[in-house]
Amino acid sequence: MLSSSARIVAFAASAVLSATQDLVRVVLPALTDDADPELVAEETLVLVSVVTARAVEVGLKDAPEAMEAAGQAVLELPFLYHDYLLGGRMVAEGSEGDVEIDQAVYGRMARKAEFYGVHFPVGRFPGSHALADKLPLWMGRISPPKLPTSPDKRLADLGLVDLLATHVRLVLAFTQRSNNT
């Protein structure tokens, strides 16, 4: 049987990927054909991993060692997912050792994680109010220039704050329940 921390991280990992797909699926068509799908996906994955890590950390606040380890594991997801995609490409091409790895991707994702980490600090649950306040930053970062509506308006029209708020509440509830059993 898995430890509660391992279960929490496994749950959070699947939740991050699912929520990221849901957000990208909704937001990409609203950004016009000028949007860069890869940028939208990467930025969204980093954002979702940060807010999910914060939900896990809050759920584990009574277990500081588990809190730090689980939070760090969730924050690592964008990097691991990139490695997974890169590995899949290498296997498909039959070039396991011949693909040049672009280290700039890791630096770019680290800067994004740092940016969202500042806006969603450790120990604070990213509830609806925090998400409504900070998600316009994400929307602005993924939006192509000269869209006719503001990031706030696009968020409201698409219901993305509610979608992500539901996600973090679910992760928090699972974490608290798993930590108490």
Side-chain angles (χ1 to χ4, degrees), residues 117-139:
V118 167
H119 292 285
F120 296 101
V122 174
R124 297 201 52 195
F125 181 71
S128 296
H129 293 294
L131 292 171
D133 186 46
K134 301 300 181 182
L135 283 185
L137 298 170
W138 163 74
M139 182 62 77

Side-chain angles (χ1 to χ4, degrees), residues 27-28 31 34-48 50 105-120 133-147 149-152 154-155:
V27 77
L28 203 51
L31 296 179
D34 293 333
D36 178 353
E38 191 172 310
L39 168 83
V40 172
E42 182 179 286
E43 191 83 29
T44 305
L45 178 59
V46 173
L47 164 73
V48 174
V50 169
V105 172
Y106 297 99
R108 185 176 64 236
M109 286 193 302
R111 286 188 300 279
K112 290 175 186 194
E114 185 178 328
F115 173 81
Y116 290 116
V118 167
H119 292 285
F120 296 101
D133 186 46
K134 301 300 181 182
L135 283 185
L137 298 170
W138 163 74
M139 182 62 77
R141 289 169 66 102
I142 63 170
S143 297
K146 299 182 182 165
L147 289 179
T149 58
S150 70
D152 291 315
R154 286 193 298 281
L155 282 168

